[in-house]
Amino acid sequence: MTNFIKPTNYKALLDRRQTEQGIKLIKDFFEQNLSTELRLHRVTAPLFVLQGLGINDDLNGVERPVTFPIKDLDDARAEVVHSLAKWKRLTLAEYEIEPGYGVYTDMNAIRADEELDNIHSLYVDQWDWEAVITREDRTVAFLKDVVRRIYHAIRRTEYLVCESYRQVKPFLPSDIHFIHSEELLQMYPDLTPKEREDEICKKYGAVFLIGIGGDLSNGEPHDGRAPDYDDWSTVGENGLKGLNGDILVWYPVLGRSLELSSMGIRVDKEALLRQLEIAGKTERKELFFHQQLLNDHLPLSIGGGIGQSRLCLMLLHKAHIGEIQASIWPEEMRSECKRLGMPLI
């Protein structure tokens, strides 16, 4: 429970029944808004994929997927998805989606290596989305435009929640601030990446942090990213590398920054080869997904994931994600949460 936050004088604004109603309200409304803003249609997604195809999301490259043998496939192993970053791009090709349109889906995952705290759970649920773009769209300006549209959908959802439950007051700023991770490092050179995120979010309220995955001037990345979905090595605005980033907000209930979405323009062939080389993962070129991309069978795209439980946590002013979703928690944490007035589902 190293990262467990115990907010002082916490009192849930909604009881359990209101919370369940609020969760449905948020999910239904935001999903429709996201679909409309980005011109996405819903598709059905897998819970698991076959091992060895290169389709699963490797996240930071160290998390172990949950795996199991399949009896009717001679014990070939399947693995529960971490996210659908690469699967969605295959789906865009399969459905022959045109530029300017895309897909979204409900993604459910198990991340057994998560360090459990107020916002991290073994169970992950998010809206995974992906849209086809043109070569000309592969710019920071286009990325920012998509981020603004997503953020406006979040703010509209906040307005609906506050109108439905008058005890819930809005706190999100009207606009989202953009900053590159290198610029943030220069602002706060003596802080850790997480501390830098806290400081910039405290200052602006809502931030899109650009350029996550590539090494900064201190020789370290702001955070880890797998080399085969987001493009974090292409030079973009002001000569800084990165066409991806995170949507972060300052969350007063916990007194910390809160990541709502990881997203970005996806690698093209050149960026894929470059990032596999940087990451020392060139053997992945032979995997199914990577071959599809390298042989021009996949469209250029932009995509990301938006945490469902985390969005509900924020908009309902909850102090623990276990107040939103059912999962497994250490008994010590469950007891302490109950004592603090945040009983876990």
PDB file of all heavy atoms in Angstrom, residues 27 42-47 56-57 59 80-85 87-88 104-111 123-129 304-309:
ATOM      1  N   LYS A  27     -21.187   6.585 -18.589  1.00  0.00           N
ATOM      2  CA  LYS A  27     -20.737   5.701 -19.665  1.00  0.00           C
ATOM      3  C   LYS A  27     -21.594   5.852 -20.912  1.00  0.00           C
ATOM      4  O   LYS A  27     -21.072   5.916 -22.035  1.00  0.00           O
ATOM      5  CB  LYS A  27     -20.716   4.251 -19.187  1.00  0.00           C
ATOM      6  CG  LYS A  27     -19.603   3.959 -18.187  1.00  0.00           C
ATOM      7  CD  LYS A  27     -19.474   2.475 -17.895  1.00  0.00           C
ATOM      8  CE  LYS A  27     -18.292   2.193 -16.988  1.00  0.00           C
ATOM      9  NZ  LYS A  27     -18.102   0.747 -16.755  1.00  0.00           N
ATOM     10  N   ARG A  42     -19.114   1.524 -33.213  1.00  0.00           N
ATOM     11  CA  ARG A  42     -18.734   0.509 -32.238  1.00  0.00           C
ATOM     12  C   ARG A  42     -18.455  -0.833 -32.905  1.00  0.00           C
ATOM     13  O   ARG A  42     -19.162  -1.242 -33.829  1.00  0.00           O
ATOM     14  CB  ARG A  42     -19.837   0.331 -31.186  1.00  0.00           C
ATOM     15  CG  ARG A  42     -19.418  -0.551 -30.019  1.00  0.00           C
ATOM     16  CD  ARG A  42     -20.576  -0.844 -29.068  1.00  0.00           C
ATOM     17  NE  ARG A  42     -20.124  -1.633 -27.937  1.00  0.00           N
ATOM     18  CZ  ARG A  42     -19.890  -2.945 -27.972  1.00  0.00           C
ATOM     19  NH1 ARG A  42     -20.079  -3.615 -29.105  1.00  0.00           N
ATOM     20  NH2 ARG A  42     -19.468  -3.588 -26.896  1.00  0.00           N
ATOM     21  N   VAL A  43     -17.430  -1.524 -32.405  1.00  0.00           N
ATOM     22  CA  VAL A  43     -17.120  -2.882 -32.851  1.00  0.00           C
ATOM     23  C   VAL A  43     -16.939  -3.764 -31.615  1.00  0.00           C
ATOM     24  O   VAL A  43     -16.711  -3.282 -30.513  1.00  0.00           O
ATOM     25  CB  VAL A  43     -15.846  -2.934 -33.719  1.00  0.00           C
ATOM     26  CG1 VAL A  43     -16.054  -2.179 -35.024  1.00  0.00           C
ATOM     27  CG2 VAL A  43     -14.633  -2.391 -32.965  1.00  0.00           C
ATOM     28  N   THR A  44     -17.064  -5.058 -31.833  1.00  0.00           N
ATOM     29  CA  THR A  44     -16.891  -6.033 -30.758  1.00  0.00           C
ATOM     30  C   THR A  44     -15.425  -6.441 -30.683  1.00  0.00           C
ATOM     31  O   THR A  44     -14.794  -6.726 -31.701  1.00  0.00           O
ATOM     32  CB  THR A  44     -17.769  -7.267 -31.009  1.00  0.00           C
ATOM     33  OG1 THR A  44     -19.138  -6.839 -31.064  1.00  0.00           O
ATOM     34  CG2 THR A  44     -17.599  -8.281 -29.897  1.00  0.00           C
ATOM     35  N   ALA A  45     -14.880  -6.463 -29.462  1.00  0.00           N
ATOM     36  CA  ALA A  45     -13.445  -6.697 -29.283  1.00  0.00           C
ATOM     37  C   ALA A  45     -13.188  -7.982 -28.516  1.00  0.00           C
ATOM     38  O   ALA A  45     -14.042  -8.465 -27.765  1.00  0.00           O
ATOM     39  CB  ALA A  45     -12.826  -5.522 -28.524  1.00  0.00           C
ATOM     40  N   PRO A  46     -11.996  -8.557 -28.669  1.00  0.00           N
ATOM     41  CA  PRO A  46     -11.654  -9.774 -27.934  1.00  0.00           C
ATOM     42  C   PRO A  46     -11.203  -9.476 -26.513  1.00  0.00           C
ATOM     43  O   PRO A  46     -10.667  -8.398 -26.224  1.00  0.00           O
ATOM     44  CB  PRO A  46     -10.489 -10.345 -28.747  1.00  0.00           C
ATOM     45  CG  PRO A  46      -9.819  -9.131 -29.305  1.00  0.00           C
ATOM     46  CD  PRO A  46     -10.936  -8.156 -29.607  1.00  0.00           C
ATOM     47  N   LEU A  47     -11.386 -10.442 -25.633  1.00  0.00           N
ATOM     48  CA  LEU A  47     -10.832 -10.384 -24.288  1.00  0.00           C
ATOM     49  C   LEU A  47      -9.419 -10.958 -24.280  1.00  0.00           C
ATOM     50  O   LEU A  47      -8.581 -10.580 -23.457  1.00  0.00           O
ATOM     51  CB  LEU A  47     -11.718 -11.176 -23.312  1.00  0.00           C
ATOM     52  CG  LEU A  47     -11.238 -11.298 -21.869  1.00  0.00           C
ATOM     53  CD1 LEU A  47     -11.103  -9.918 -21.228  1.00  0.00           C
ATOM     54  CD2 LEU A  47     -12.179 -12.173 -21.062  1.00  0.00           C
ATOM     55  N   ASN A  56      -0.973  -8.205 -28.988  1.00  0.00           N
ATOM     56  CA  ASN A  56      -1.227  -7.655 -27.660  1.00  0.00           C
ATOM     57  C   ASN A  56      -0.369  -6.416 -27.423  1.00  0.00           C
ATOM     58  O   ASN A  56       0.716  -6.264 -27.980  1.00  0.00           O
ATOM     59  CB  ASN A  56      -0.931  -8.708 -26.579  1.00  0.00           C
ATOM     60  CG  ASN A  56      -1.681  -8.422 -25.283  1.00  0.00           C
ATOM     61  OD1 ASN A  56      -2.393  -7.416 -25.172  1.00  0.00           O
ATOM     62  ND2 ASN A  56      -1.538  -9.295 -24.317  1.00  0.00           N
ATOM     63  N   ASP A  57      -0.884  -5.530 -26.582  1.00  0.00           N
ATOM     64  CA  ASP A  57      -0.175  -4.324 -26.191  1.00  0.00           C
ATOM     65  C   ASP A  57       0.872  -4.697 -25.142  1.00  0.00           C
ATOM     66  O   ASP A  57       0.548  -5.332 -24.141  1.00  0.00           O
ATOM     67  CB  ASP A  57      -1.188  -3.326 -25.618  1.00  0.00           C
ATOM     68  CG  ASP A  57      -0.561  -2.015 -25.201  1.00  0.00           C
ATOM     69  OD1 ASP A  57       0.668  -1.907 -25.238  1.00  0.00           O
ATOM     70  OD2 ASP A  57      -1.314  -1.116 -24.828  1.00  0.00           O
ATOM     71  N   LEU A  59       2.530  -2.486 -23.367  1.00  0.00           N
ATOM     72  CA  LEU A  59       2.589  -1.433 -22.358  1.00  0.00           C
ATOM     73  C   LEU A  59       4.021  -0.938 -22.212  1.00  0.00           C
ATOM     74  O   LEU A  59       4.622  -0.441 -23.131  1.00  0.00           O
ATOM     75  CB  LEU A  59       2.026  -1.945 -21.026  1.00  0.00           C
ATOM     76  CG  LEU A  59       0.549  -2.406 -21.066  1.00  0.00           C
ATOM     77  CD1 LEU A  59       0.136  -2.971 -19.724  1.00  0.00           C
ATOM     78  CD2 LEU A  59      -0.371  -1.273 -21.469  1.00  0.00           C
ATOM     79  N   VAL A  80      -4.624 -12.734 -22.170  1.00  0.00           N
ATOM     80  CA  VAL A  80      -5.605 -11.671 -21.967  1.00  0.00           C
ATOM     81  C   VAL A  80      -4.981 -10.353 -22.410  1.00  0.00           C
ATOM     82  O   VAL A  80      -3.822 -10.064 -22.102  1.00  0.00           O
ATOM     83  CB  VAL A  80      -6.033 -11.608 -20.487  1.00  0.00           C
ATOM     84  CG1 VAL A  80      -6.999 -10.449 -20.260  1.00  0.00           C
ATOM     85  CG2 VAL A  80      -6.682 -12.926 -20.069  1.00  0.00           C
ATOM     86  N   VAL A  81      -5.741  -9.562 -23.134  1.00  0.00           N
ATOM     87  CA  VAL A  81      -5.204  -8.315 -23.676  1.00  0.00           C
ATOM     88  C   VAL A  81      -4.846  -7.342 -22.553  1.00  0.00           C
ATOM     89  O   VAL A  81      -5.489  -7.328 -21.496  1.00  0.00           O
ATOM     90  CB  VAL A  81      -6.198  -7.641 -24.643  1.00  0.00           C
ATOM     91  CG1 VAL A  81      -6.434  -8.528 -25.857  1.00  0.00           C
ATOM     92  CG2 VAL A  81      -7.518  -7.304 -23.952  1.00  0.00           C
ATOM     93  N   HIS A  82      -3.795  -6.559 -22.788  1.00  0.00           N
ATOM     94  CA  HIS A  82      -3.478  -5.427 -21.915  1.00  0.00           C
ATOM     95  C   HIS A  82      -4.238  -4.188 -22.395  1.00  0.00           C
ATOM     96  O   HIS A  82      -4.715  -3.382 -21.611  1.00  0.00           O
ATOM     97  CB  HIS A  82      -1.975  -5.146 -21.928  1.00  0.00           C
ATOM     98  CG  HIS A  82      -1.202  -6.016 -20.994  1.00  0.00           C
ATOM     99  ND1 HIS A  82       0.083  -6.440 -21.254  1.00  0.00           N
ATOM    100  CD2 HIS A  82      -1.523  -6.551 -19.796  1.00  0.00           C
ATOM    101  CE1 HIS A  82       0.515  -7.184 -20.250  1.00  0.00           C
ATOM    102  NE2 HIS A  82      -0.448  -7.272 -19.364  1.00  0.00           N
ATOM    103  N   SER A  83      -4.267  -4.027 -23.687  1.00  0.00           N
ATOM    104  CA  SER A  83      -5.135  -3.057 -24.357  1.00  0.00           C
ATOM    105  C   SER A  83      -5.228  -3.520 -25.806  1.00  0.00           C
ATOM    106  O   SER A  83      -4.636  -4.535 -26.172  1.00  0.00           O
ATOM    107  CB  SER A  83      -4.598  -1.623 -24.257  1.00  0.00           C
ATOM    108  OG  SER A  83      -3.694  -1.348 -25.308  1.00  0.00           O
ATOM    109  N   LEU A  84      -5.963  -2.767 -26.621  1.00  0.00           N
ATOM    110  CA  LEU A  84      -6.212  -3.208 -27.991  1.00  0.00           C
ATOM    111  C   LEU A  84      -5.538  -2.289 -29.004  1.00  0.00           C
ATOM    112  O   LEU A  84      -6.007  -2.134 -30.127  1.00  0.00           O
ATOM    113  CB  LEU A  84      -7.720  -3.248 -28.236  1.00  0.00           C
ATOM    114  CG  LEU A  84      -8.484  -4.237 -27.344  1.00  0.00           C
ATOM    115  CD1 LEU A  84      -9.987  -3.995 -27.455  1.00  0.00           C
ATOM    116  CD2 LEU A  84      -8.153  -5.673 -27.723  1.00  0.00           C
ATOM    117  N   ALA A  85      -4.415  -1.690 -28.612  1.00  0.00           N
ATOM    118  CA  ALA A  85      -3.762  -0.684 -29.451  1.00  0.00           C
ATOM    119  C   ALA A  85      -3.492  -1.192 -30.858  1.00  0.00           C
ATOM    120  O   ALA A  85      -3.710  -0.473 -31.844  1.00  0.00           O
ATOM    121  CB  ALA A  85      -2.463  -0.220 -28.791  1.00  0.00           C
ATOM    122  N   TRP A  87      -4.628  -4.353 -32.153  1.00  0.00           N
ATOM    123  CA  TRP A  87      -5.789  -5.065 -32.683  1.00  0.00           C
ATOM    124  C   TRP A  87      -6.717  -4.110 -33.433  1.00  0.00           C
ATOM    125  O   TRP A  87      -7.248  -4.442 -34.498  1.00  0.00           O
ATOM    126  CB  TRP A  87      -6.544  -5.751 -31.547  1.00  0.00           C
ATOM    127  CG  TRP A  87      -7.805  -6.424 -31.987  1.00  0.00           C
ATOM    128  CD1 TRP A  87      -7.942  -7.695 -32.448  1.00  0.00           C
ATOM    129  CD2 TRP A  87      -9.122  -5.840 -32.038  1.00  0.00           C
ATOM    130  NE1 TRP A  87      -9.257  -7.941 -32.780  1.00  0.00           N
ATOM    131  CE2 TRP A  87     -10.002  -6.832 -32.537  1.00  0.00           C
ATOM    132  CE3 TRP A  87      -9.629  -4.594 -31.702  1.00  0.00           C
ATOM    133  CZ2 TRP A  87     -11.360  -6.604 -32.695  1.00  0.00           C
ATOM    134  CZ3 TRP A  87     -10.995  -4.365 -31.869  1.00  0.00           C
ATOM    135  CH2 TRP A  87     -11.834  -5.362 -32.365  1.00  0.00           C
ATOM    136  N   LYS A  88      -6.877  -2.895 -32.921  1.00  0.00           N
ATOM    137  CA  LYS A  88      -7.791  -1.941 -33.552  1.00  0.00           C
ATOM    138  C   LYS A  88      -7.321  -1.556 -34.953  1.00  0.00           C
ATOM    139  O   LYS A  88      -8.134  -1.341 -35.850  1.00  0.00           O
ATOM    140  CB  LYS A  88      -7.908  -0.673 -32.691  1.00  0.00           C
ATOM    141  CG  LYS A  88      -8.623  -0.866 -31.374  1.00  0.00           C
ATOM    142  CD  LYS A  88      -8.580   0.410 -30.548  1.00  0.00           C
ATOM    143  CE  LYS A  88      -7.151   0.796 -30.211  1.00  0.00           C
ATOM    144  NZ  LYS A  88      -7.089   2.033 -29.392  1.00  0.00           N
ATOM    145  N   TYR A 104     -14.584   2.256 -32.173  1.00  0.00           N
ATOM    146  CA  TYR A 104     -14.311   2.222 -30.730  1.00  0.00           C
ATOM    147  C   TYR A 104     -14.912   0.946 -30.172  1.00  0.00           C
ATOM    148  O   TYR A 104     -15.790   0.317 -30.785  1.00  0.00           O
ATOM    149  CB  TYR A 104     -14.885   3.453 -30.017  1.00  0.00           C
ATOM    150  CG  TYR A 104     -16.372   3.407 -29.780  1.00  0.00           C
ATOM    151  CD1 TYR A 104     -16.902   2.903 -28.590  1.00  0.00           C
ATOM    152  CD2 TYR A 104     -17.271   3.861 -30.747  1.00  0.00           C
ATOM    153  CE1 TYR A 104     -18.271   2.862 -28.372  1.00  0.00           C
ATOM    154  CE2 TYR A 104     -18.631   3.834 -30.542  1.00  0.00           C
ATOM    155  CZ  TYR A 104     -19.133   3.328 -29.341  1.00  0.00           C
ATOM    156  OH  TYR A 104     -20.488   3.279 -29.137  1.00  0.00           O
ATOM    157  N   THR A 105     -14.437   0.572 -29.001  1.00  0.00           N
ATOM    158  CA  THR A 105     -14.928  -0.649 -28.380  1.00  0.00           C
ATOM    159  C   THR A 105     -14.760  -0.584 -26.880  1.00  0.00           C
ATOM    160  O   THR A 105     -13.999   0.235 -26.351  1.00  0.00           O
ATOM    161  CB  THR A 105     -14.184  -1.881 -28.935  1.00  0.00           C
ATOM    162  OG1 THR A 105     -14.828  -3.071 -28.500  1.00  0.00           O
ATOM    163  CG2 THR A 105     -12.733  -1.899 -28.474  1.00  0.00           C
ATOM    164  N   ASP A 106     -15.491  -1.431 -26.172  1.00  0.00           N
ATOM    165  CA  ASP A 106     -15.289  -1.615 -24.733  1.00  0.00           C
ATOM    166  C   ASP A 106     -14.155  -2.603 -24.542  1.00  0.00           C
ATOM    167  O   ASP A 106     -14.248  -3.749 -24.972  1.00  0.00           O
ATOM    168  CB  ASP A 106     -16.557  -2.165 -24.075  1.00  0.00           C
ATOM    169  CG  ASP A 106     -17.665  -1.139 -24.016  1.00  0.00           C
ATOM    170  OD1 ASP A 106     -17.465  -0.106 -23.355  1.00  0.00           O
ATOM    171  OD2 ASP A 106     -18.724  -1.370 -24.618  1.00  0.00           O
ATOM    172  N   MET A 107     -13.081  -2.165 -23.910  1.00  0.00           N
ATOM    173  CA  MET A 107     -11.948  -3.026 -23.646  1.00  0.00           C
ATOM    174  C   MET A 107     -11.944  -3.413 -22.175  1.00  0.00           C
ATOM    175  O   MET A 107     -12.033  -2.566 -21.290  1.00  0.00           O
ATOM    176  CB  MET A 107     -10.647  -2.303 -23.999  1.00  0.00           C
ATOM    177  CG  MET A 107      -9.395  -3.181 -24.011  1.00  0.00           C
ATOM    178  SD  MET A 107      -8.711  -3.594 -22.382  1.00  0.00           S
ATOM    179  CE  MET A 107      -8.205  -1.997 -21.767  1.00  0.00           C
ATOM    180  N   ASN A 108     -11.867  -4.717 -21.925  1.00  0.00           N
ATOM    181  CA  ASN A 108     -11.735  -5.217 -20.559  1.00  0.00           C
ATOM    182  C   ASN A 108     -10.449  -6.020 -20.479  1.00  0.00           C
ATOM    183  O   ASN A 108     -10.169  -6.840 -21.353  1.00  0.00           O
ATOM    184  CB  ASN A 108     -12.924  -6.104 -20.188  1.00  0.00           C
ATOM    185  CG  ASN A 108     -14.214  -5.322 -20.174  1.00  0.00           C
ATOM    186  OD1 ASN A 108     -14.490  -4.578 -19.252  1.00  0.00           O
ATOM    187  ND2 ASN A 108     -15.020  -5.469 -21.218  1.00  0.00           N
ATOM    188  N   ALA A 109      -9.671  -5.773 -19.446  1.00  0.00           N
ATOM    189  CA  ALA A 109      -8.367  -6.417 -19.346  1.00  0.00           C
ATOM    190  C   ALA A 109      -8.066  -6.787 -17.900  1.00  0.00           C
ATOM    191  O   ALA A 109      -8.695  -6.285 -16.965  1.00  0.00           O
ATOM    192  CB  ALA A 109      -7.274  -5.495 -19.879  1.00  0.00           C
ATOM    193  N   ILE A 110      -7.097  -7.674 -17.755  1.00  0.00           N
ATOM    194  CA  ILE A 110      -6.551  -8.018 -16.440  1.00  0.00           C
ATOM    195  C   ILE A 110      -5.063  -7.696 -16.478  1.00  0.00           C
ATOM    196  O   ILE A 110      -4.347  -8.185 -17.350  1.00  0.00           O
ATOM    197  CB  ILE A 110      -6.745  -9.507 -16.109  1.00  0.00           C
ATOM    198  CG1 ILE A 110      -8.234  -9.876 -16.131  1.00  0.00           C
ATOM    199  CG2 ILE A 110      -6.143  -9.846 -14.746  1.00  0.00           C
ATOM    200  CD1 ILE A 110      -8.488 -11.370 -16.038  1.00  0.00           C
ATOM    201  N   ARG A 111      -4.625  -6.853 -15.569  1.00  0.00           N
ATOM    202  CA  ARG A 111      -3.201  -6.511 -15.487  1.00  0.00           C
ATOM    203  C   ARG A 111      -2.686  -6.965 -14.120  1.00  0.00           C
ATOM    204  O   ARG A 111      -2.769  -6.241 -13.129  1.00  0.00           O
ATOM    205  CB  ARG A 111      -2.989  -5.019 -15.712  1.00  0.00           C
ATOM    206  CG  ARG A 111      -3.396  -4.569 -17.114  1.00  0.00           C
ATOM    207  CD  ARG A 111      -3.117  -3.098 -17.359  1.00  0.00           C
ATOM    208  NE  ARG A 111      -3.578  -2.685 -18.696  1.00  0.00           N
ATOM    209  CZ  ARG A 111      -3.601  -1.428 -19.108  1.00  0.00           C
ATOM    210  NH1 ARG A 111      -3.180  -0.454 -18.314  1.00  0.00           N
ATOM    211  NH2 ARG A 111      -4.033  -1.128 -20.327  1.00  0.00           N
ATOM    212  N   TYR A 123      -8.231  -4.978 -12.589  1.00  0.00           N
ATOM    213  CA  TYR A 123      -9.211  -4.952 -13.674  1.00  0.00           C
ATOM    214  C   TYR A 123      -9.168  -3.595 -14.360  1.00  0.00           C
ATOM    215  O   TYR A 123      -9.239  -2.546 -13.694  1.00  0.00           O
ATOM    216  CB  TYR A 123     -10.606  -5.220 -13.120  1.00  0.00           C
ATOM    217  CG  TYR A 123     -11.739  -4.969 -14.091  1.00  0.00           C
ATOM    218  CD1 TYR A 123     -11.836  -5.706 -15.262  1.00  0.00           C
ATOM    219  CD2 TYR A 123     -12.697  -3.998 -13.840  1.00  0.00           C
ATOM    220  CE1 TYR A 123     -12.863  -5.475 -16.160  1.00  0.00           C
ATOM    221  CE2 TYR A 123     -13.735  -3.764 -14.726  1.00  0.00           C
ATOM    222  CZ  TYR A 123     -13.806  -4.506 -15.886  1.00  0.00           C
ATOM    223  OH  TYR A 123     -14.818  -4.270 -16.774  1.00  0.00           O
ATOM    224  N   VAL A 124      -9.014  -3.592 -15.675  1.00  0.00           N
ATOM    225  CA  VAL A 124      -8.952  -2.354 -16.445  1.00  0.00           C
ATOM    226  C   VAL A 124     -10.092  -2.344 -17.459  1.00  0.00           C
ATOM    227  O   VAL A 124     -10.272  -3.304 -18.212  1.00  0.00           O
ATOM    228  CB  VAL A 124      -7.604  -2.230 -17.184  1.00  0.00           C
ATOM    229  CG1 VAL A 124      -7.568  -0.955 -18.015  1.00  0.00           C
ATOM    230  CG2 VAL A 124      -6.449  -2.248 -16.192  1.00  0.00           C
ATOM    231  N   ASP A 125     -10.838  -1.270 -17.476  1.00  0.00           N
ATOM    232  CA  ASP A 125     -11.892  -1.097 -18.484  1.00  0.00           C
ATOM    233  C   ASP A 125     -11.703   0.268 -19.127  1.00  0.00           C
ATOM    234  O   ASP A 125     -11.518   1.264 -18.456  1.00  0.00           O
ATOM    235  CB  ASP A 125     -13.289  -1.245 -17.873  1.00  0.00           C
ATOM    236  CG  ASP A 125     -13.544  -0.283 -16.722  1.00  0.00           C
ATOM    237  OD1 ASP A 125     -12.570   0.245 -16.142  1.00  0.00           O
ATOM    238  OD2 ASP A 125     -14.719  -0.062 -16.379  1.00  0.00           O
ATOM    239  N   GLN A 126     -11.719   0.296 -20.441  1.00  0.00           N
ATOM    240  CA  GLN A 126     -11.567   1.572 -21.130  1.00  0.00           C
ATOM    241  C   GLN A 126     -12.248   1.539 -22.483  1.00  0.00           C
ATOM    242  O   GLN A 126     -12.562   0.483 -23.016  1.00  0.00           O
ATOM    243  CB  GLN A 126     -10.087   1.934 -21.286  1.00  0.00           C
ATOM    244  CG  GLN A 126      -9.270   0.990 -22.156  1.00  0.00           C
ATOM    245  CD  GLN A 126      -7.786   1.346 -22.167  1.00  0.00           C
ATOM    246  OE1 GLN A 126      -7.226   1.805 -21.166  1.00  0.00           O
ATOM    247  NE2 GLN A 126      -7.135   1.127 -23.290  1.00  0.00           N
ATOM    248  N   TRP A 127     -12.506   2.751 -22.987  1.00  0.00           N
ATOM    249  CA  TRP A 127     -12.939   2.872 -24.370  1.00  0.00           C
ATOM    250  C   TRP A 127     -11.678   2.903 -25.214  1.00  0.00           C
ATOM    251  O   TRP A 127     -10.879   3.837 -25.134  1.00  0.00           O
ATOM    252  CB  TRP A 127     -13.734   4.156 -24.582  1.00  0.00           C
ATOM    253  CG  TRP A 127     -15.066   4.167 -23.923  1.00  0.00           C
ATOM    254  CD1 TRP A 127     -16.211   3.534 -24.344  1.00  0.00           C
ATOM    255  CD2 TRP A 127     -15.421   4.861 -22.719  1.00  0.00           C
ATOM    256  NE1 TRP A 127     -17.242   3.801 -23.479  1.00  0.00           N
ATOM    257  CE2 TRP A 127     -16.795   4.604 -22.477  1.00  0.00           C
ATOM    258  CE3 TRP A 127     -14.724   5.676 -21.830  1.00  0.00           C
ATOM    259  CZ2 TRP A 127     -17.463   5.141 -21.378  1.00  0.00           C
ATOM    260  CZ3 TRP A 127     -15.369   6.206 -20.740  1.00  0.00           C
ATOM    261  CH2 TRP A 127     -16.730   5.934 -20.526  1.00  0.00           C
ATOM    262  N   ASP A 128     -11.473   1.878 -26.001  1.00  0.00           N
ATOM    263  CA  ASP A 128     -10.367   1.851 -26.946  1.00  0.00           C
ATOM    264  C   ASP A 128     -10.893   2.343 -28.280  1.00  0.00           C
ATOM    265  O   ASP A 128     -11.924   1.847 -28.770  1.00  0.00           O
ATOM    266  CB  ASP A 128      -9.820   0.422 -27.079  1.00  0.00           C
ATOM    267  CG  ASP A 128      -8.449   0.264 -26.440  1.00  0.00           C
ATOM    268  OD1 ASP A 128      -7.620   1.175 -26.634  1.00  0.00           O
ATOM    269  OD2 ASP A 128      -8.214  -0.754 -25.775  1.00  0.00           O
ATOM    270  N   TRP A 129     -10.218   3.302 -28.894  1.00  0.00           N
ATOM    271  CA  TRP A 129     -10.694   3.866 -30.164  1.00  0.00           C
ATOM    272  C   TRP A 129      -9.533   4.012 -31.142  1.00  0.00           C
ATOM    273  O   TRP A 129      -8.377   4.124 -30.746  1.00  0.00           O
ATOM    274  CB  TRP A 129     -11.383   5.213 -29.941  1.00  0.00           C
ATOM    275  CG  TRP A 129     -10.455   6.289 -29.433  1.00  0.00           C
ATOM    276  CD1 TRP A 129     -10.128   6.558 -28.133  1.00  0.00           C
ATOM    277  CD2 TRP A 129      -9.713   7.224 -30.234  1.00  0.00           C
ATOM    278  NE1 TRP A 129      -9.234   7.590 -28.065  1.00  0.00           N
ATOM    279  CE2 TRP A 129      -8.959   8.014 -29.333  1.00  0.00           C
ATOM    280  CE3 TRP A 129      -9.618   7.455 -31.597  1.00  0.00           C
ATOM    281  CZ2 TRP A 129      -8.111   9.038 -29.772  1.00  0.00           C
ATOM    282  CZ3 TRP A 129      -8.771   8.471 -32.040  1.00  0.00           C
ATOM    283  CH2 TRP A 129      -8.038   9.253 -31.126  1.00  0.00           C
ATOM    284  N   GLY A 304      -6.282   5.619 -29.140  1.00  0.00           N
ATOM    285  CA  GLY A 304      -5.948   5.659 -27.722  1.00  0.00           C
ATOM    286  C   GLY A 304      -6.953   4.914 -26.882  1.00  0.00           C
ATOM    287  O   GLY A 304      -7.868   4.260 -27.388  1.00  0.00           O
ATOM    288  N   GLY A 305      -6.761   5.024 -25.583  1.00  0.00           N
ATOM    289  CA  GLY A 305      -7.679   4.428 -24.626  1.00  0.00           C
ATOM    290  C   GLY A 305      -8.079   5.461 -23.595  1.00  0.00           C
ATOM    291  O   GLY A 305      -7.268   6.302 -23.188  1.00  0.00           O
ATOM    292  N   ILE A 306      -9.330   5.430 -23.175  1.00  0.00           N
ATOM    293  CA  ILE A 306      -9.859   6.355 -22.162  1.00  0.00           C
ATOM    294  C   ILE A 306     -10.446   5.512 -21.043  1.00  0.00           C
ATOM    295  O   ILE A 306     -11.368   4.726 -21.269  1.00  0.00           O
ATOM    296  CB  ILE A 306     -10.937   7.278 -22.755  1.00  0.00           C
ATOM    297  CG1 ILE A 306     -10.362   8.059 -23.939  1.00  0.00           C
ATOM    298  CG2 ILE A 306     -11.487   8.228 -21.686  1.00  0.00           C
ATOM    299  CD1 ILE A 306     -11.408   8.754 -24.783  1.00  0.00           C
ATOM    300  N   GLY A 307      -9.903   5.646 -19.857  1.00  0.00           N
ATOM    301  CA  GLY A 307     -10.310   4.806 -18.740  1.00  0.00           C
ATOM    302  C   GLY A 307     -11.759   5.043 -18.327  1.00  0.00           C
ATOM    303  O   GLY A 307     -12.136   6.166 -17.980  1.00  0.00           O
ATOM    304  N   GLN A 308     -12.569   3.994 -18.364  1.00  0.00           N
ATOM    305  CA  GLN A 308     -13.980   4.140 -17.993  1.00  0.00           C
ATOM    306  C   GLN A 308     -14.149   4.324 -16.492  1.00  0.00           C
ATOM    307  O   GLN A 308     -14.783   5.284 -16.034  1.00  0.00           O
ATOM    308  CB  GLN A 308     -14.766   2.917 -18.478  1.00  0.00           C
ATOM    309  CG  GLN A 308     -14.810   2.775 -19.974  1.00  0.00           C
ATOM    310  CD  GLN A 308     -15.739   1.673 -20.446  1.00  0.00           C
ATOM    311  OE1 GLN A 308     -16.523   1.114 -19.693  1.00  0.00           O
ATOM    312  NE2 GLN A 308     -15.644   1.322 -21.717  1.00  0.00           N
ATOM    313  N   SER A 309     -13.588   3.418 -15.709  1.00  0.00           N
ATOM    314  CA  SER A 309     -13.726   3.534 -14.252  1.00  0.00           C
ATOM    315  C   SER A 309     -13.043   4.792 -13.737  1.00  0.00           C
ATOM    316  O   SER A 309     -13.519   5.444 -12.803  1.00  0.00           O
ATOM    317  CB  SER A 309     -13.144   2.303 -13.560  1.00  0.00           C
ATOM    318  OG  SER A 309     -13.945   1.165 -13.785  1.00  0.00           O
TER     319      SER A 309
END
